[in-house]
Amino acid sequence: LTLHANATVAISALKSFTMIRSVAAKYNRRCCGRLRRPPLNNPQPFISFSSSSSSSSSEEQPPADSSTIIQGPSLLASTGVHRPSPSLFHLPGLRSLPFWTAPGPSPSPSSPTSSSSQQQQQQRRHRIAFNDPLLTSAIQHVESNYTSIRSEYFSAVLGQGKTTNPDNDDVHKPMEPDYDVANMGGEHAEDALHSGTWDWHSYILNGVKNERFRERCPITAGVVDDLEKEGMLFGTPFGFCFFSTLHGKSSIKPHSGPMNLRLRMHLPLVTPPPPLSAKNNTQNDTNNAPTRPTTGIRVADQTREWHEGSSIILDDSYVHEVWNDAEESRVLLLLDLWHPDVKVEERERISNMFSYARGKGWIGGSKK
């Protein structure tokens, strides 16, 4: 993938897709191929695709129904204001919030005769930012299967089956984690993001489905496939879905995702209980400023805790970090959704662009 600088063609190309930050060159060399910028006075097309890094190789054009990437403008930084700062792509005009879900646990369904029924319905109605119907539908579908998803995690990942007879076909070895910084070739391959132990058990890794996961966790895989059928699943080489197990005394460094095209959902399955000291401090000293929770996530300047069975949707194009200072593990199902403001035509063209780039071997590194 070779970028050239011709402002006239760039203006028309902008209608096709998005902008790419020139400061992302290091990331792009690893994930999206080679970037080469000839002198500004070289009147060549702004974007062209090349299957070779050699300057003498013949250039070829991407499919007509794919989107293109152009170099973007500078970004304002060091202002102290938190704004999306994706490391690779930025599509302008999308609504932007660090979190798209209200803090706290999900309102539980209530019977029609309950006196608090109307209030709980109101809470559910205001739980999702902008009352977005697509995200509301996705959350409702995933949370309605929370018990089954959690059960499959305990069975497949921890090996907690219903029988202890080793000769029984229902007994399987626990699944092996598949998070590999060196070989994954995706957005986390540049450096290890975490300290401590962070395990992945992936259904979708860099946009590729793991059939072994489907065999062990058919309900979980089916829930995700349902979102895909509805066009909500972010099905690109930058799409993920996995059981994320952050063990005790572990953390994930502040970082930003590669693009603002997706939103990330967390369905918490196991959350460590707050330490006794934290409970006592909350009860006995309400005048103190709030402290960082023992286990939590910060996106931009907002910090949240997880509640089992209550989904969180966040925009990971903001700088964010995660920590688990408890002794016990924190477990959640993570999956990527299309940003609801990305139109169907844009999704199709973006997907075609990624498919073309993957076919050329520019993106989508896989495990060895």
Side-chain angles (χ1 to χ4, degrees), residues 186-216:
E187 62 188 84
H188 298 145
E190 183 67 22
D191 294 296
L193 279 176
H194 68 285
S195 61
T197 305
W198 183 23
D199 289 337
W200 294 25
H201 295 86
S202 304
Y203 177 41
I204 301 175
L205 185 63
N206 295 117
V208 179
K209 290 184 177 179
N210 179 0
E211 293 303 321
R212 291 184 59 191
F213 183 101
R214 187 198 302 272
E215 294 173 1
R216 300 293 301 275

Side-chain angles (χ1 to χ4, degrees), residues 11-145:
I11 295 175
S12 61
L14 181 58
K15 300 178 181 178
S16 301
F17 179 47
T18 183
M19 302 177 291
I20 183 170
R21 299 191 323 177
S22 59
V23 297
K26 183 178 180 181
Y27 185 102
N28 294 346
R29 280 196 297 270
R30 178 178 290 272
C31 297
C32 292
R34 184 182 301 275
L35 291 176
R36 290 181 293 127
R37 297 188 180 89
L40 294 178
N41 59 0
N42 190 349
Q44 299 184 35
F46 186 84
I47 294 180
S48 60
F49 290 82
S50 174
S51 59
S52 171
S53 60
S54 172
S55 59
S56 61
S57 63
S58 61
E59 294 180 347
E60 55 185 280
Q61 295 298 319
D65 61 348
S66 66
S67 54
T68 53
I69 306 170
I70 68 170
Q71 181 180 0
S74 301
L75 296 179
L76 185 65
S78 301
T79 64
V81 177
H82 294 275
R83 298 194 183 278
S85 55
S87 57
L88 189 60
F89 305 152
H90 180 264
L91 180 60
L94 305 184
R95 291 173 294 177
S96 175
L97 290 171
F99 289 100
W100 283 62
T101 45
S106 305
S108 58
S110 59
S111 63
T113 58
S114 172
S115 60
S116 60
S117 175
Q118 186 175 1
Q119 180 181 1
Q120 291 178 343
Q121 290 177 2
Q122 189 79 356
Q123 290 174 345
R124 285 194 294 274
R125 190 157 43 240
H126 294 292
R127 183 187 170 208
I128 312 299
F130 310 106
N131 200 25
D132 186 87
L134 293 177
L135 297 182
T136 299
S137 175
I139 283 183
Q140 290 175 346
H141 183 56
V142 172
E143 290 186 351
S144 67
N145 289 276

